[in-house]
Amino acid sequence: MHQPTLTHRALLLLLVAVTLAFGAILLPLHGAIFWGMVLAILFAPLHRRLLLRMRRTPNLAALLTLAICLLIVILPILAIAASMAQEAGVVYQRVRAGQINFGAYAQQIWAALPAWVLKLLESLHLGTFAELQTKLASFGAQASQFLANQAVNVGSNTLQFIVNFGVMLYLLFFLLRDGTQLGTRIRNAIPLDEEHKRELSAKFITVIRATVKGNIAVAATQGALGGLIFWALGIQGPVLWGVIMAFLSLLPAIGASLIWGPVALYFLATGATWQGVTLALYGIGVIGLVDNVLRPLLVGKDTKMPDYVVLISTLGGMALFGLTGFVIGPVIAALFIATWDLYSPPPASSGTE
């Protein structure tokens, strides 16, 4: 009498157990798997177009799509990373040689501070430059220790990057080739109405495409504009600072200003008035305008989420998942809203019969 129910429960328990075990196996490679899936979604339209011309050779169509992805996305990122590493090495050597002295820069700023700022710092137990220097020295020691630990692990980190990169490319090829069949099997296994599955699947794909393309477009634009103004003002390492601004621009509203803002304040405090004013106006009117115009247009419009939800989900996702969180956070938020919309009652009709 109870045999079918017992069998169903045992099967369900087995399903949960093997799913958790398989998830634990994939966990060390979660970054490579995630970005392989994201790139497969982004390049799926291109692959479908190529497949229409190569119906008899799906392997060649997937391989050609993979080559295009390497050419226009991955290789440029690696080239920029190599250039950034080279400039970082130059800046580090100049710091060691004393050509860049952050203590001297801080002393110049301190000497230019108005009296009311000095009183405020005194209330924070930073009333003298010596006290501030002690705090900065403590911070510098901690930062140096962190960099030293990273330098020790650089070999293992490089090996891990190569392995993850290879896994991502390998997985990307098969997701491009077999993604349609795999997606169909996953949808068939989900116990929901067909209409609900279509809506959630469409929302998932739309949000991933919008967040990745939108945020990368904003990051690339802000990084390029920031590096350009740093180069024009003669600041050392414009590519390095441009890349850092591009990464920080993934934080909506405040990202890139964490770099150009302190530099503008330093210029103003040390008497380089026109450089400080130029950088401040450029940062607010040009770099900031990119964030205020492009991000809502490219991300908020396609995801159909309010700007504050995009902001909160991006910040929360990055705090929880790291760099990949700028995609995972909005995706979870969009699926949360879409799922509740599926089971919320439709709005009452305002017309009269």
Side-chain angles (χ1 to χ4, degrees):
M1 178 177 177
H2 298 289
Q3 186 66 26
T5 302
L6 181 62
T7 302
H8 177 74
R9 289 180 178 178
L11 180 61
L12 184 61
L13 180 62
L14 177 62
L15 177 64
V16 172
V18 296
T19 301
L20 291 176
F22 187 64
I25 292 173
L26 299 181
L27 188 61
L29 299 171
H30 70 279
I33 295 171
F34 174 78
W35 285 110
M37 181 188 68
V38 168
L39 290 174
I41 291 174
L42 291 177
F43 283 86
L46 174 62
H47 177 255
R48 284 195 293 268
R49 292 179 184 177
L50 293 175
L51 198 58
L52 290 175
R53 299 173 179 269
M54 306 176 181
R55 294 181 183 274
R56 298 182 179 180
T57 54
N59 287 332
L60 182 59
L63 190 61
L64 185 57
T65 307
L66 179 62
I68 295 174
C69 176
L70 275 170
L71 184 63
I72 68 175
V73 175
I74 298 175
L75 292 182
I77 291 177
L78 293 178
I80 293 173
S83 179
M84 183 189 70
Q86 183 179 4
E87 286 203 356
V90 173
V91 171
Y92 176 71
Q93 292 298 330
R94 293 191 65 185
V95 171
R96 290 193 61 184
Q99 298 176 1
I100 298 178
N101 190 335
F102 292 105
Y105 298 156
Q107 192 168 12
Q108 289 177 328
I109 296 175
W110 185 272
L113 292 176
W116 65 271
V117 176
L118 293 176
K119 290 182 180 179
L120 177 63
L121 292 175
E122 186 176 357
S123 66
L124 298 174
H125 304 288
L126 295 173
T128 65
F129 180 73
E131 294 174 342
L132 177 62
Q133 200 170 23
T134 301
K135 298 285 186 181
L136 292 176
S138 176
F139 173 77
Q142 295 176 6
S144 299
Q145 183 64 36
F146 172 79
L147 292 176
N149 292 336
Q150 295 301 312
V152 170
N153 297 328
V154 65
S156 60
N157 291 337
T158 302
L159 178 61
Q160 183 180 6
F161 171 78
I162 294 174
V163 171
N164 287 335
F165 185 72
V167 170
M168 183 193 72
L169 293 181
Y170 183 78
L171 179 64
L172 177 57
F173 171 81
F174 287 101
L175 287 178
L176 289 170
R177 192 191 69 176
D178 306 325
T180 302
Q181 297 88 338
L182 181 61
T184 301
R185 294 189 64 179
I186 293 175
R187 282 196 300 270
N188 291 337
I190 297 176
L192 291 175
D193 293 339
E194 193 63 32
E195 181 182 357
H196 292 171
K197 288 189 285 188
R198 282 198 304 268
E199 291 182 13
L200 291 176
S201 175
K203 176 65 70 173
F204 177 78
I205 294 174
T206 299
V207 172
I208 283 186
R209 287 177 178 166
T211 52
V212 173
K213 291 191 294 186
N215 281 303
I216 288 180
V218 171
T221 305
Q222 287 193 322
L225 291 173
L228 179 64
I229 191 63
F230 273 39
W231 171 80
L233 294 175
I235 299 172
Q236 178 69 36
V239 174
L240 171 64
W241 298 118
V243 172
I244 294 175
M245 278 188 273
F247 276 109
L248 289 176
S249 69
L250 296 175
L251 300 173
I254 62 171
S257 63
L258 296 176
I259 299 297
W260 64 257
V263 177
L265 290 177
Y266 169 76
F267 279 143
L268 294 173
T270 54
T273 306
W274 76 267
Q275 291 95 329
V277 172
T278 300
L279 182 56
L281 292 178
Y282 185 89
I284 296 172
V286 179
I287 300 177
L289 188 64
V290 170
D291 190 79
N292 296 328
V293 174
L294 283 185
R295 196 183 301 273
L297 186 64
L298 297 177
V299 180
K301 181 180 178 181
D302 289 342
T303 60
K304 297 180 181 179
M305 292 193 300
D307 292 342
Y308 64 88
V309 175
V310 175
L311 171 63
I312 293 173
S313 60
T314 300
L315 294 176
M318 294 184 71
L320 189 61
F321 299 105
L323 183 61
T324 57
F326 84 90
V327 179
I328 298 177
V331 166
I332 293 176
L335 292 178
F336 171 81
I337 296 173
T339 304
W340 277 100
D341 285 343
L342 292 178
Y343 293 99
S344 61
S349 176
S350 58
T352 57
E353 297 181 0

